[in-house]
Amino acid sequence: MARTIYVLNGPNLNLLGTREPETYGHATLADVEELCKVTASQFGLEADCRQSNREGELVDFIHEAHARKAAGIVINAGGYSHTSIALHDALAAVKIPAVEVHVSNIYARESFRHHSFTAKAAFATLCGFGIDGYRLAINGLAAKIGAREIAAGAKA
Ligand code: CA2
C-alpha cells in the first residue's frame, strides 16, 4: 500500500504564526508540518509537506503526488481555494483522495471565502479548527484509505 501523503499549503501560509493571530493562531507552518508528520506516523504513513505561493507549483505538486503514487492529499490552497479552477482540475484529474483544510472558519468570514473550487474536488473539507484541522484531516484520510492506527512503539 502507498504510504506517502502530500500535505500542500498555498499562498501566504508560510506567514502562519507571524501575523493575524486572532484569525490564524500562533502556530507556525513548521508547527503544522511537524503535527502532520507525527499524525501520519501514527498510521504508518509519511507526510511529505510542501508550501508554495505559486499556483502552478501547487499544480506541479499534485501531479508529483500522482507520479509518486501518493495515498492521499491534504490541501489548504489558501486564497487559491476560492479562485483556482486549475487546482480543482489537477485534484480531479489525479483522483487521489483529498481533504481540504482551512485554519479559519471560512463561512464566518467574508462572502468571497464561502466558495471553494478545491473543495469540489476533495472528498471532505474541514475548517475552523485552527491547525488541529490538519490532524483531523489526516485521521479522516487514514480512515478513508484504510490505514490503521499502529500501536505506540511500533512506528516506523
Ligand atoms: O483559513 C485558512 O486556512 C485559509 O485558507 C487561509 C487563507 C485565506 O485566503 C483563506 O480564505 C482561508 C490565507 C492564508 C493567509 O495566511 C496568513 C497567515 C498569517 C498571517 C497572514 C496570512
Side-chain angles (χ1 to χ4, degrees), residues 11-12 15-16 19-20 24 76 78-79 82 102-104 106 113:
N12 297 309
L15 299 178
L16 274 178
R19 287 180 177 78
E20 300 182 46
Y24 298 114
N76 181 351
H82 316 300
H102 295 286
V103 175
S104 63
I106 56 174
R113 298 184 201 276

Side-chain angles (χ1 to χ4, degrees), residues 3-156:
R3 290 238 142 312
T4 301
I5 61 168
Y6 273 55
V7 178
L8 304 180
N9 280 293
N12 297 309
L13 287 156
N14 54 313
L15 299 178
L16 274 178
T18 69
R19 287 180 177 78
E20 300 182 46
E22 65 286 355
T23 304
Y24 298 114
H26 292 280
T28 64
L29 181 63
D31 295 331
V32 168
E33 295 185 347
E34 179 61 19
L35 175 63
C36 290
K37 286 177 189 294
V38 168
T39 306
S41 75
Q42 291 166 353
F43 295 94
L45 300 170
E46 186 188 337
D48 192 329
C49 300
R50 311 288 181 89
Q51 188 273 333
S52 178
N53 293 323
R54 285 171 284 282
E55 185 177 16
E57 190 168 26
L58 291 163
V59 170
D60 288 341
F61 291 155
I62 294 167
H63 294 175
E64 182 187 310
H66 176 64
R68 291 184 55 206
K69 302 190 187 331
I73 294 174
V74 172
I75 184 164
N76 181 351
Y80 288 143
S81 314
H82 316 300
T83 63
S84 180
I85 295 170
L87 284 173
H88 166 277
D89 288 351
L91 289 169
V94 300
K95 296 190 172 67
I96 298 171
V99 185
E100 175 177 86
V101 175
H102 295 286
V103 175
S104 63
N105 179 357
I106 56 174
Y107 299 104
R109 301 183 64 192
E110 303 95 326
S111 59
F112 62 79
R113 298 184 201 276
H114 296 178
H115 177 266
S116 167
F117 286 101
T118 44
K120 184 125 180 56
F123 76 84
T125 298
L126 285 157
C127 73
F129 289 101
I131 72 160
D132 205 36
Y134 291 85
R135 183 184 65 78
L136 296 167
I138 292 172
N139 274 264
L141 182 57
K144 180 80 172 175
I145 66 178
R148 298 235 189 97
E149 197 157 7
I150 56 179
K155 290 167 193 154

